[in-house]
Amino acid sequence: MSYLLQMFSSSQPSIGSSMSGKVRVAHGLGTSGTEPFPYVDLDSSKKEIRLVTILPAKSSTIQVACELSHGFSGDPLKYEALSYCWGSIHNPIAILLDNREFYVTRNLHEALCQFRLQDKPRTLWIDAICINQQSIPERNSQVLLMRTIYIRSSTTLIWIGPAFKDSDKMMDFISLEDKRLLDPTIDGGDEAWAAARYARAMEDPLLKPVWVALLKLCQQPYWFRMWIVQEVVFGTTPQICVGSKSASFFGGLTRVLSSLSAERELEALGMPPNDIWDKLLADNKPQQIGFDKKKIDQPKDLRWLVATLIRYRSSLATDPRDKIISLLGFLDESGARYDQFVTVDYSRPVLNFCLDIFKFCLNDKREATTVEQSVVGTCTRFTADMTYKISQEAVQAAEAEGRDLEVSDCQLLPQTQELRSRPHGVLNILTAAGYRNMGVDGFPSWLPHWGQPSTGQSIDDRSCNRFTASGTSEPTCVLLVEPSFFQFFGFPVGHISYLGDKHRNLNPSRVELVHTVASWYLLGLSHQRSPEWEIREGSPSRRSEFWRTLVFDSYIDRNFFSAPDEWKEMNLDWLIAFVESTEKPGMSRRMDPDDLINELMTMLLRTTHGRRFALAASHACLMVPEEAEKGDVVVVVLGCDIPLLLRRSGDRWLLIGDCFCFGMMEGEVLQAIEQGILEGGELFTLC
């Protein structure tokens, strides 16, 4: 939620001069430099809102003038809702609001100029103008109306910004896609010809500027705002606006991205990498929002909230509290009750907001969900819940034929043919916490700070929420708010004895990554797993253990849940040769399609980000946070589906982060304890 703008001057001496220059900085809302804008109070009991009307102007050089009005969110008001990126607070621009100076950011000013009409007024709802951000009580009440405001708008205008190189061509292409909804053959030809249009478009060199512009569009700051998730999903017929061009978000942009993604999946495996497609489809925010729109009718609950907070962890908000508040409208839509745990009050510390969510999680139940009920993560793995029975008729037939009963005699009970997810671990929220955010705003290591970005890929999300390291156990835990300690019961399964190299930089190139992986490979294969740790029946090769650990035993395509066989026995020399060849002009980048080398590298770029390879004392393969140190302990926690990495600190423990431990992700540790292979657990106190 953006703050409104207040003007003040700060004198900054220029280099080599004694003179001072004045730099305008936006900070709150005001007129004449210091005085707050004289808003008329809203009646929160009646869900009153403000609207802003942009007055017409014949010339673009005329100062923007607006008027405020009041209305009730339940009334049939006529307005459009603006969704935009606040932009830099420096050097704001003055508009006239009810004949008073009112300062707004340059990006908002550009939007006002673009949407101003020449011949008639235009009424919008704009957060930076319609909410008095200097009034915390008003902010507290208005943010809870956001979902209703965008639902009841006539149109949601998504302001990306001014036109950029080839953006007009791109917007025309997206607009044409929207028209194809009504007429797939609008370009000519029959339906088969129309169905192959993206295969042709991706090979057409004349369209490369469109794809480059599309990549730039999807990388604009707008998409990294947290509030846009709610604004776009609930917004009425959202329209993307770039300069003077506009196009449908769902009928145009997301359809283009989905078609490109589908066409890439249909390409032959092992095809050489394409920087534009890889960057465009790797972590595409508009596609994520499109996915959330498709799931809008599914009920939202606490598990959805935590999974979505993790998925949008890299999104930004001016106020860190908004990372949580901006998603509460989804819970309102589903009728989920959160008010007894979460208190919306901007005067409360950020720590208290995040503690609300943590307490909310502790109140959850560990139970499986059906496909219709599930909204956990981006693609939860479901297993058929099937019960067989043998009918009396089958028994009689077998007796009459003088034979034993066979599998074919078993019948599946119709009422049990239902896909169900794993029972979601109540303490999975701990996987979003860790050492790297400890101390920020006074946070303990065990409490996720949703206002801080995550540097690593979520193991649980990447693996389609399928691991069950602690089986179906319920948590045994105690929250001690004063002081901020959290206690839980878990099973230490080993400490780190060997650590692989760290990445050379935060975002390594493919060549840098493959050489780091090569050093990990030598470390992993030089130590064989200890015999007492062979918990599973049958033992994969050490090379298979290594590769499966690096990719969280998962595949880049979420329609498949485990790593393909080609990855499990990947030849390191082939991998290095392939990656290095991509850096040499004139050399072929096509490899044997069965090797899936390009797909493996794309996966490694995601799973190794913020992590490194390690070996436990038993030589079990681990993927751990980069902050890990030798001696850190791997613990399987009751009620948590992913193992955690802890570090002793006096008589307490610090949570370093979640980790992947090969051979211990599907309840093997609890089975080993029952069989007497491993000893019992202990109570850990985290600080």
Side-chain angles (χ1 to χ4, degrees):
M1 188 58 120
S2 57
Y3 288 104
L4 296 183
L5 310 176
Q6 182 176 17
M7 189 65 163
F8 69 87
S9 298
S10 61
S11 297
Q12 297 182 347
S14 59
I15 297 175
S17 171
S18 61
M19 296 180 63
S20 296
K22 291 188 175 181
V23 179
R24 287 181 166 183
V25 180
H27 182 71
L29 163 68
T31 62
S32 66
T34 57
E35 297 179 6
F37 186 83
Y39 279 107
V40 176
D41 290 340
L42 296 173
D43 187 343
S44 60
S45 65
K46 296 181 179 179
K47 298 182 178 180
E48 189 176 19
I49 65 173
R50 295 187 189 92
L51 297 174
V52 58
T53 298
I54 309 173
L55 301 180
K58 296 293 184 181
S59 171
S60 61
T61 61
I62 298 176
Q63 185 180 26
V64 174
C66 303
E67 294 178 348
L68 285 176
S69 60
H70 287 211
F72 300 103
S73 61
D75 292 344
L77 304 173
K78 294 183 179 181
Y79 64 93
E80 298 166 288
L82 181 64
S83 178
Y84 69 107
C85 179
W86 187 24
S88 172
I89 63 174
H90 297 283
N91 298 315
I93 299 177
I95 66 171
L96 291 179
L97 183 63
D98 288 344
N99 294 317
R100 292 174 178 266
E101 276 196 337
F102 185 96
Y103 286 89
V104 298
T105 62
R106 289 185 171 273
N107 190 51
L108 177 53
H109 185 263
E110 289 171 344
L112 293 171
C113 291
Q114 183 61 55
F115 296 129
R116 179 171 60 176
L117 303 176
Q118 291 187 358
D119 56 348
K120 60 182 178 180
R122 189 170 191 175
T123 301
L124 290 85
W125 185 89
I126 304 173
D127 61 352
I129 300 176
C130 296
I131 299 178
N132 179 5
Q133 297 278 354
Q134 301 306 301
S135 169
I136 288 180
E138 181 171 311
R139 290 171 61 197
N140 293 340
S141 62
Q142 287 289 292
V143 293
L144 297 179
L145 298 176
M146 292 278 285
R147 175 180 63 94
T148 302
I149 289 171
Y150 279 89
I151 287 176
R152 292 183 178 275
S153 66
S154 60
T155 307
T156 296
L157 302 172
I158 300 174
W159 173 246
I160 301 298
F164 52 85
K165 184 179 180 180
D166 296 317
S167 63
D168 285 355
K169 294 180 182 178
M170 172 200 66
M171 294 297 287
D172 289 341
F173 184 89
I174 294 174
S175 297
L176 188 59
E177 182 67 18
D178 190 21
K179 295 177 182 177
R180 289 192 184 104
L181 280 171
L182 299 176
D183 183 6
T185 61
I186 193 172
D187 299 312
D190 56 18
E191 291 187 2
W193 184 91
R197 67 183 180 276
Y198 274 93
R200 297 191 303 275
M202 293 172 72
E203 296 176 357
D204 187 350
L206 296 178
L207 286 178
K208 184 177 179 180
V210 171
W211 309 131
V212 174
L214 184 60
L215 175 61
K216 184 172 182 178
L217 171 71
C218 294
Q219 292 177 336
Q220 292 298 302
Y222 171 84
W223 304 109
F224 296 91
R225 286 184 59 238
M226 191 66 183
W227 274 104
I228 69 166
V229 181
Q230 176 176 253
E231 293 168 2
V232 177
V233 170
F234 289 114
T236 304
T237 59
Q239 299 288 309
I240 309 166
C241 303
V242 180
S244 61
K245 296 279 187 176
S246 64
S248 169
F249 176 80
F250 293 115
L253 178 59
T254 59
R255 277 176 58 84
V256 169
L257 294 172
S258 297
S259 298
L260 286 174
S261 180
E263 194 62 38
R264 286 288 283 169
E265 291 177 3
L266 291 174
E267 287 185 342
L269 296 175
M271 286 292 289
N274 182 302
D275 289 341
I276 296 177
W277 312 135
D278 291 345
K279 291 178 181 178
L280 184 60
L281 301 175
D283 183 23
N284 192 286
K285 297 297 182 184
Q287 269 193 305
Q288 284 188 357
I289 295 172
F291 175 86
D292 287 322
K293 177 66 173 181
K294 291 180 180 178
K295 299 284 186 179
I296 190 62
D297 292 330
Q298 289 190 351
K300 308 296 188 295
D301 55 14
L302 172 61
R303 301 177 209 181
W304 174 88
L305 177 62
V306 174
T308 305
L309 283 168
I310 292 174
R311 194 162 72 253
Y312 286 101
R313 191 75 180 269
S314 62
S315 294
L316 304 176
T318 304
D319 189 318
R321 300 168 186 82
D322 285 332
K323 294 288 286 288
I324 297 170
I325 297 173
S326 62
L327 296 177
L328 296 181
F330 289 89
L331 300 184
D332 289 328
E333 181 77 5
S334 296
R337 296 300 303 272
Y338 58 83
D339 50 342
Q340 65 184 105
F341 295 99
V342 181
T343 302
V344 177
D345 185 349
Y346 281 96
S347 66
R348 300 176 68 219
V350 177
L351 187 147
N352 290 16
F353 263 82
C354 295
L355 194 58
D356 286 349
I357 300 300
F358 195 88
K359 293 176 181 178
F360 198 4
C361 285
L362 296 185
N363 192 62
D364 198 17
K365 297 179 180 179
R366 182 164 194 147
E367 57 186 11
T369 58
T370 64
V371 176
E372 289 73 20
Q373 296 170 330
S374 177
V375 286
V376 179
T378 55
C379 184
T380 302
R381 184 183 188 182
F382 290 89
T383 304
D385 179 15
M386 299 184 294
T387 303
Y388 287 88
K389 71 173 184 179
I390 300 176
S391 66
Q392 187 62 36
E393 293 78 7
V395 173
Q396 294 174 352
E399 290 177 348
E401 297 172 11
R403 61 174 176 80
D404 294 332
L405 288 168
E406 300 174 353
V407 175
S408 59
D409 294 315
C410 299
Q411 295 180 339
L412 181 65
L413 293 174
Q415 65 270 27
T416 64
Q417 297 182 55
E418 186 173 45
L419 294 177
R420 300 186 71 82
S421 72
R422 66 163 189 209
H424 183 76
V426 173
L427 294 186
N428 284 357
I429 191 172
L430 290 171
T431 66
Y435 185 74
R436 62 174 60 100
N437 290 327
M438 179 183 174
V440 179
D441 297 324
F443 274 59
S445 66
W446 51 267
L447 183 62
H449 192 320
W450 300 113
Q452 295 293 312
S454 174
T455 59
Q457 174 83 46
S458 164
I459 295 175
D460 199 29
D461 182 43
R462 184 71 257 171
S463 61
C464 301
N465 315 109
R466 80 176 195 274
F467 293 127
T468 53
S470 62
T472 58
S473 61
E474 294 288 347
T476 300
C477 58
V478 178
L479 175 60
L480 305 174
V481 179
E482 296 293 341
S484 296
F485 294 148
F486 183 63
Q487 293 180 325
F488 58 66
F489 192 81
F491 301 94
V493 293
H495 64 272
I496 294 178
S497 292
Y498 304 92
L499 271 172
D501 296 334
K502 287 185 177 181
H503 292 294
R504 295 180 182 179
N505 56 63
L506 183 61
N507 295 297
S509 67
R510 290 187 175 220
V511 172
E512 291 173 330
L513 174 59
V514 77
H515 284 288
T516 301
V517 168
S519 70
W520 296 348
Y521 183 89
L522 295 176
L523 173 63
L525 269 65
S526 63
H527 300 82
Q528 296 297 317
R529 180 187 276 254
S530 302
E532 63 268 21
W533 277 68
E534 295 294 354
I535 298 175
R536 287 181 171 177
E537 294 184 6
S539 177
S541 70
R542 186 61 171 175
R543 182 161 64 175
S544 177
E545 285 186 29
F546 172 80
W547 291 117
R548 291 168 68 180
T549 299
L550 259 59
V551 298
F552 307 155
D553 201 12
S554 303
Y555 186 42
I556 193 169
D557 185 346
R558 294 178 181 273
N559 293 311
F560 303 91
F561 298 105
S562 59
D565 292 339
E566 291 84 354
W567 287 5
K568 297 174 184 177
E569 299 297 333
M570 177 61 63
N571 183 293
L572 181 62
D573 292 336
W574 291 353
L575 185 64
I576 294 174
F578 171 77
V579 173
E580 290 185 339
S581 72
T582 65
E583 300 297 311
K584 297 179 181 179
M587 293 191 65
S588 173
R589 303 201 296 182
R590 182 188 291 271
M591 300 292 288
D592 184 346
D594 292 334
D595 290 333
L596 303 180
I597 294 179
N598 184 49
E599 287 76 12
L600 173 60
M601 284 306 302
T602 301
M603 186 69 165
L604 289 175
L605 284 169
R606 300 179 185 181
T607 59
T608 65
H609 187 69
R611 300 183 185 273
R612 57 174 163 165
F613 180 74
L615 292 176
S618 64
H619 299 166
C621 293
L622 309 171
M623 279 300 286
V624 297
E626 281 198 329
E627 297 85 357
E629 297 177 358
K630 290 183 179 180
D632 290 347
V633 179
V634 179
V635 179
V636 172
V637 180
L638 293 183
C640 186
D641 294 312
I642 307 296
L644 302 178
L645 190 67
L646 306 183
R647 180 179 302 160
R648 185 175 287 280
S649 177
D651 59 347
R652 312 294 183 192
W653 294 84
L654 298 175
L655 174 58
I656 307 304
D658 60 348
C659 62
F660 184 95
C661 185
F662 188 85
M664 300 182 196
M665 302 300 294
E666 299 184 14
E668 296 91 342
V669 170
L670 295 186
Q671 296 173 17
I673 291 173
E674 292 176 357
Q675 298 168 9
I677 300 176
L678 296 177
E679 296 181 358
E682 59 182 271
L683 190 65
F684 294 86
T685 302
L686 271 59
C687 58

